[in-house]
Amino acid sequence: MEALSLSIPIIRVTNSNTNYISLGAATNYGSLSSLHHRSSSSSTRPFTLKKKKKTVVRVRAESEDFELKQVRDMAAAKKRWEALLRDEKIKVLTPKEAGYAVQLSNKPLLDVRPSNEHNKAWVKGSTWIPIFDVDNGLDVGTIPRKVTNFAMGGWWSGMPTLSFDNSFLPRVVEKFPKDAELIVACQKGLRSLAACELLYNAGYSNLFWVQGGFEAAEEEDLVVEGPVPLKFAGIGGISEFLGWTDQQRAAAAKEGWGYRLVFSARLIGLFLVADALFIGAQQIGHYLQEIRTH
């Protein structure tokens, strides 16, 4: 259960009229089994100048209570997932075993990754139904979450703001009968485990979870399609550009200096650009100061 120690986002229900439940920058999947809609009007309180101090204190207290609830939800989720695995209600497969099952026995593989990962690489013959997907909304409630997500590490990892899709379960039910032997996988193994719990609670009894996700797979384990290796589908942002991810370091160890030089050149280029921007800003500042003095 090593994958369960990963840091993950908090599910926030924002609008009962939409098909998505938005995730903030620091979220977890612990309360998936108890998802429900709430009206946005019931979760917001107007700010007034006269009661600003009291309102800030109240909001801060509610925020702390919410964070505490999320910690408890995640701890409870871990216990549920461990029980499901221990009792073999959800069976465990390695990526290699999953590859054998898909290639030799034509077992269905359900890919629950978001589109930003799936579009980079996917297993041939798999069925893609994301449990979380990229939130492309630009409404007043979404933009602050995107800014927060970017500021809290999205710029480095390239991870966009994700939303739970309520159509996930209906789409799976439409595609697969509940007695199907269904292999469920994601990039690192956490979202697929949350998906397995949802599916088990919905009546699916032959579920197989790919431990470690696609990131734990070797090249020969699965037949892969797409523009990048499957291991690289979950990386992005500045860390990918500079080659500072674990996956790229492992590739550099195999490829040698030629691979490293590419990213070293990018790092040098980034420093040169930053230096040029700094010098340019200084020159503009001096120019504006001269204009003021005259």
Side-chain angles (χ1 to χ4, degrees), residues 124-257:
K124 184 178 180 180
S126 62
T127 299
W128 176 55
I129 304 178
I131 184 171
F132 295 92
D133 208 355
V134 178
D135 190 343
N136 293 316
L138 293 175
D139 55 87
V140 176
T142 302
I143 292 176
R145 287 194 298 273
K146 290 188 175 184
V147 172
T148 303
N149 179 73
F150 182 82
M152 293 184 68
W155 64 275
W156 177 256
S157 67
M159 177 58 67
T161 302
L162 301 178
S163 296
F164 176 78
D165 188 352
N166 281 336
S167 69
F168 168 73
L169 189 55
R171 291 173 64 189
V172 174
V173 172
E174 182 181 358
K175 181 72 177 180
F176 302 105
K178 293 189 176 181
D179 60 351
E181 293 183 331
L182 190 58
I183 302 171
V184 186
C186 64
Q187 192 66 25
K188 294 185 177 181
L190 186 61
R191 286 168 293 194
S192 55
L193 190 52
C196 282
E197 182 187 16
L198 285 178
L199 294 172
Y200 177 80
N201 291 337
Y204 284 85
S205 56
N206 294 309
L207 296 169
F208 296 84
W209 171 59
V210 180
Q211 187 175 27
F214 293 141
E215 205 163 283
E218 300 299 332
E219 291 183 11
E220 65 274 8
D221 292 343
L222 300 159
V223 179
V224 179
E225 298 177 327
V228 304
L230 195 57
K231 281 179 176 288
F232 287 14
I235 63 176
I238 298 297
S239 61
E240 179 187 19
F241 179 78
L242 296 177
W244 286 356
T245 66
D246 293 338
Q247 297 89 328
Q248 289 168 304
R249 290 193 187 100
K254 295 180 181 179
E255 299 292 336
W257 282 104

Side-chain angles (χ1 to χ4, degrees), residues 28-44:
N28 71 53
Y29 309 127
S31 56
L32 268 178
S33 61
S34 60
L35 286 174
H36 61 283
H37 291 291
R38 297 173 187 165
S39 171
S40 58
S41 61
S42 65
S43 59
T44 58

